[in-house]
Amino acid sequence: MKRISYKIISQKTPYLLLLFAVLFVFSSCSKNKSVHYEIVLKNSNINRGDGNPSTIMDIGINADTIAFIGEINIKNANSVIDVTGLTVAPGYIDMHAHLDPIFKHPDAKSALTQGVTTSLGGPDGGGFWPFGSRLDSISNLPLGMNVAYLVGHNQIRKAVMQMDNRDPTIEELAQMKAMVSQAMDDGAFGISTGLKYLPGAFSKVEEVIELSKSASEKGGIYTSHLREEGLGLIEGVSEAIQIGEKANIPIVLTHHKAIGKPVWGFSKKTLKMVDSARALGIDVMIDQYPYNASYTSISVLIPAWARAGGQSEFVKRTENKKLKDSILAGIEFNILNDRGGGDLNRVQLAKTPWDETLSGKTLKFWAEREKLEPNAKNGALLVLKAQLTGGGTAIYHAMDEKDIQRIMQHPQTMFGSDGRLTTPEDSGWPHPRWYGTFPRVLGHYVRELKVLDLPTALKKMTSMPADRLGLTKRGRLKVGNYADITIFDPETVIDKSIYTDPHHFSEGIKYVFVNGVLTINDGVLLENRGGKLLRK
C-alpha cells in the first residue's frame, strides 16, 4: 500500500495537515481494495467481540494476521470463503481448561469444534513443575489451538512440602515464592489455587497472599477454585477478595457457582460482594461454565484432614475405628449438604477404573446394585470404598439454574469450560462441558432462552478474557490482530453432549482460523495446525 508523504510547512497550517490526513485515509481505504490477500471471508456478518452489534463486511487475511476489514475485490484473493448468513467472531478464549492431555491430543479437537482458539491451562492449583521445561516441550507440539498456562499453587506446595498439613517454614515460603517468580519469568500468566484440594486446603490465606505477590510483581493474575463453594461460599469469596487486595493482583473467581441446596440463591450475595470489591478498587472478575452440574474427584466428598500425608496415611486412618467413623460422618455430611446435593441420584460416577461398568451410573444405582438402601449413610460407605479401591471422578448435579443464569448475566463474568481435552475414543465418562461449553451458551442461553444477547455473549468469550490475560492482539476482529477467527451459524449452533451420552462434538461451528490457519473447514477438522504456546 503506497503512502502519501508530506512535510509540515508551518505550525500555523493545521487545515493543510487535516486535508493531507483525510487524503491519506481515503487513499489507504481505496488502495486496500486492490491489495492481494491469501484468504478473503466474503459477506461476513462481523461481530468484533466488543459488545456492539454485527456489521456486514469482508475480511482479508495474510499470513497470521487480519490484513483488512471492508470491501474487497475477490479477484485479489488466493481463496475466498463465502460466509453469507454466518456470524464471524474472534476466536473464543477459554479461561479455564484442563490441558493435561495436550501431548495425547495436541489437535485439541474437542475445543476447536466449540470455536475455541486459545485456552488457559493450569487451573485449580494444578499444572506442572518444573514449569519452564514443560512449556518448552509443549511449544514443540503440533498444536491445534493456542495454549497459555498458569502456575499452580498446589503443585508448588507439593514439590516443597509434600502433603503435609502444616504452615510452611520461612525457608519453605521463600522457596515457593521464588518458584512462582521463576514460573512468571518462564511465561506463566499468573497463579492458580485450588483451596478445596490437597495440599492447597492445608494452606492459610497468608501463604497464598505471599505467593500471589510474587505473581503480581510480574504482571500476573490470580484465579481461584475457592476454598468452599457450598456452605462456606461467602467466606470463600471473601478470602479471594482479600487475596486480591493484599497482593494487589487482578483476580478471577473461577467456575463460580453455588453448590448444594443450602446455598442455592447465594449468588445474589456473592455478586454483590464482587460489585462492592470493584467499587473499592479491587479488580475482581468471574468465569463460569453453563451447566448445573460440576465434575471433580470422588475424594472431594472426603474431609481434607483425612487425606493429609497422601493415600497411605488415609488408608491407615480408615483402619482406626474412631477415625473411620469420623471420616464416614464427614462424607455423609457432604452428601447431604454440599456437593452431594442431598440425594445419591445426584452423584453420577464418571471415571471408575476399578469397575468401568459403573461409569455414567449414579451412586444410587451402585447402592441398589449392592443391595443397600440408597441413603446418605450407605452412600458414604461406597465413597470410602471407591477411594480405597483407587479413587475416581464424579459429576455432581447439585446446582440451581437460577444461580447459573444470574452469574452469567453479571457484567464481569467470562466463560471457561473447565473442560479436559478428550475424544470419543477416550475412556471414562466426561462432563458435557468438555465438548459443548461455548456452543451451549450461543445455542441454549442466547438463541433459546435469551438470557444474553449475542454481542454480549461473544464479548464474554473474546475481548473480556483477552483483556484479563493481556492478549492485546487477540479477542477482537481488528486490522493487525492475529487471525484467530470463529465462524458459526447462529441458527444451528448447539452442544450435543449430554450427561447420559456425553461423547459428541458440538454442531454449528463452521470455520475456525488459528493464527490465520484454516483448522475447521465447514465443520470438519483439517490436518492444518496453527496453534502456538503463548507466554506472558
Side-chain angles (χ1 to χ4, degrees):
M1 179 176 68
K2 185 177 179 181
R3 292 180 177 269
I4 298 175
S5 60
Y6 60 89
K7 61 182 179 180
I8 298 176
I9 298 173
S10 167
Q11 292 184 350
K12 298 181 179 180
T13 57
Y15 295 107
L16 280 175
L17 292 178
L18 179 62
L19 176 61
F20 278 125
V22 171
L23 288 172
F24 173 74
V25 172
F26 176 79
S27 174
S28 298
C29 293
S30 61
K31 291 288 184 182
N32 264 301
K33 293 182 181 179
S34 60
V35 170
H36 191 85
Y37 302 101
E38 295 172 11
I39 301 170
V40 167
L41 304 177
K42 194 66 180 171
N43 303 317
S44 301
N45 188 23
I46 296 176
N47 189 289
R48 295 178 181 265
D50 56 8
N52 291 314
S54 302
T55 54
I56 305 295
M57 287 182 280
D58 305 328
I59 298 179
I61 300 171
N62 280 333
D64 63 356
T65 302
I66 298 172
F68 182 68
I69 299 176
E71 183 183 348
I72 300 176
N73 187 335
I74 62 174
K75 293 181 180 179
N76 300 319
N78 285 356
S79 62
V80 176
I81 301 176
D82 187 349
V83 292
T84 301
L86 304 179
T87 297
V88 181
Y92 311 146
I93 299 174
D94 188 341
M95 281 296 293
H96 184 129
H98 291 272
L99 302 176
D100 312 58
I102 193 74
F103 290 94
K104 182 180 179 182
H105 301 307
D107 61 0
K109 184 177 181 179
S110 57
L112 284 168
T113 51
Q114 297 184 53
V116 174
T117 58
T118 300
S119 286
L120 179 65
D124 301 330
F128 41 78
W129 191 266
F131 194 80
S133 59
R134 179 65 67 87
L135 290 192
D136 292 340
S137 298
I138 293 170
S139 69
N140 293 322
L141 295 173
L143 297 170
M145 65 175 177
N146 304 310
V147 293
Y149 287 88
L150 301 163
V151 62
H153 167 234
N154 286 2
Q155 196 65 250
I156 284 180
R157 196 179 211 271
K158 187 175 181 180
V160 174
M161 301 174 61
Q162 293 76 50
M163 295 290 283
D164 292 355
N165 183 3
R166 60 177 177 83
D167 294 338
T169 64
I170 294 174
E171 293 76 18
E172 287 169 336
L173 184 62
Q175 183 181 353
M176 289 191 288
K177 285 174 64 69
M179 291 165 73
V180 172
S181 183
Q182 180 61 55
M184 293 299 300
D185 290 342
D186 291 336
F189 279 74
I191 184 171
S192 75
T193 58
L195 300 178
K196 180 69 174 177
Y197 303 126
L198 302 186
F202 301 141
S203 65
K204 293 179 181 175
V205 67
E206 292 80 11
E207 173 187 326
V208 182
I209 289 170
E210 286 303 308
L211 298 189
S212 297
K213 286 179 180 177
S214 294
S216 175
E217 289 166 358
K218 300 195 174 182
I221 66 171
Y222 171 84
T223 80
S224 180
H225 179 126
L226 302 177
R227 199 175 293 272
E228 292 293 343
E229 297 174 315
L231 291 177
L233 175 61
I234 301 302
E235 293 79 6
V237 172
S238 178
E239 180 183 47
I241 291 172
Q242 180 187 0
I243 292 165
E245 179 186 22
K246 299 298 184 183
N248 190 29
I249 190 169
I251 69 175
V252 178
L253 309 180
T254 199
H255 54 44
H256 189 43
K257 64 177 78 72
I259 195 159
K261 286 185 178 181
V263 299
W264 286 1
F266 274 34
S267 60
K268 295 177 183 177
K269 298 180 181 180
T270 63
L271 297 179
K272 286 181 180 178
M273 293 172 71
V274 169
D275 292 338
S276 297
R278 292 186 64 83
L280 293 172
I282 304 169
D283 189 355
V284 189
M285 294 183 74
I286 299 164
D287 71 51
Q288 176 199 39
Y289 52 79
Y291 295 89
N292 60 7
S294 67
Y295 175 105
T296 191
S297 64
I298 197 76
S299 63
V300 77
L301 295 170
I302 301 172
W305 64 264
R307 298 179 55 232
Q311 181 70 3
S312 61
E313 293 300 313
F314 172 71
V315 171
K316 290 179 183 177
R317 292 185 183 100
T318 63
E319 293 169 349
N320 179 305
K321 187 180 184 307
K322 289 185 178 180
L323 291 179
K324 181 179 179 181
D325 288 344
S326 295
I327 293 169
L328 287 170
I331 298 171
E332 184 177 349
F333 179 87
N334 287 330
I335 289 175
L336 290 171
N337 299 288
D338 200 90
R339 209 164 291 255
D343 183 349
L344 299 194
N345 218 29
R346 290 181 176 270
V347 180
Q348 182 182 8
L349 300 169
K351 191 171 185 179
T352 53
W354 33 271
D355 185 350
E356 293 188 356
T357 65
L358 287 173
S359 293
K361 303 297 193 302
T362 66
L363 205 53
K364 179 182 178 183
F365 172 90
W366 188 15
E368 291 174 340
R369 196 184 75 173
E370 298 294 317
K371 310 298 184 185
L372 297 172
E373 183 180 346
N375 56 35
K377 189 177 187 66
N378 287 328
L381 289 170
L382 294 178
V383 169
L384 183 62
K385 179 179 180 180
Q387 185 64 24
L388 290 173
T389 310
T393 60
I395 300 169
Y396 301 91
H397 300 262
M399 295 152 63
D400 183 59
E401 180 65 21
K402 292 178 182 178
D403 285 313
I404 292 165
Q405 295 188 22
R406 189 179 296 117
I407 293 169
M408 186 178 294
Q409 291 175 324
H410 193 274
Q412 296 303 324
T413 298
M414 305 168 285
F415 291 109
S417 69
D418 199 1
R420 182 180 174 88
L421 297 176
T422 190
T423 68
E425 291 72 38
D426 287 349
S427 61
W429 201 268
H431 191 295
R433 69 194 186 200
W434 299 13
Y435 285 102
T437 290
F438 293 86
R440 180 171 176 79
V441 172
L442 297 171
H444 184 59
Y445 285 99
V446 173
R447 184 179 64 243
E448 297 175 355
L449 298 184
K450 297 179 172 46
V451 173
L452 299 173
D453 60 42
L454 183 60
T456 300
L458 290 173
K459 180 180 179 180
K460 290 171 175 286
M461 297 177 178
T462 58
S463 61
M464 284 176 63
D467 290 347
R468 175 89 311 182
L469 295 174
L471 299 175
T472 57
K473 296 186 71 175
R474 304 184 195 274
R476 290 175 175 82
L477 293 183
K478 180 180 177 183
V479 173
N481 279 10
Y482 291 109
D484 290 348
I485 301 173
T486 292
I487 304 170
F488 65 95
D489 185 341
E491 300 302 319
T492 64
V493 64
I494 197 67
D495 57 311
K496 303 300 290 186
S497 175
I498 59 177
Y499 294 111
T500 55
D501 188 15
H503 279 295
H504 295 283
F505 295 106
S506 294
E507 294 182 356
I509 303 296
K510 296 299 185 180
Y511 304 93
V512 176
F513 290 84
V514 181
N515 295 308
V517 176
L518 180 61
T519 307
I520 299 284
N521 182 22
D522 198 19
V524 177
L525 178 67
L526 304 178
E527 294 185 1
N528 306 329
R529 298 288 174 264
K532 298 178 180 178
L533 171 73
L534 306 182
R535 299 179 192 257
K536 175 68 176 176

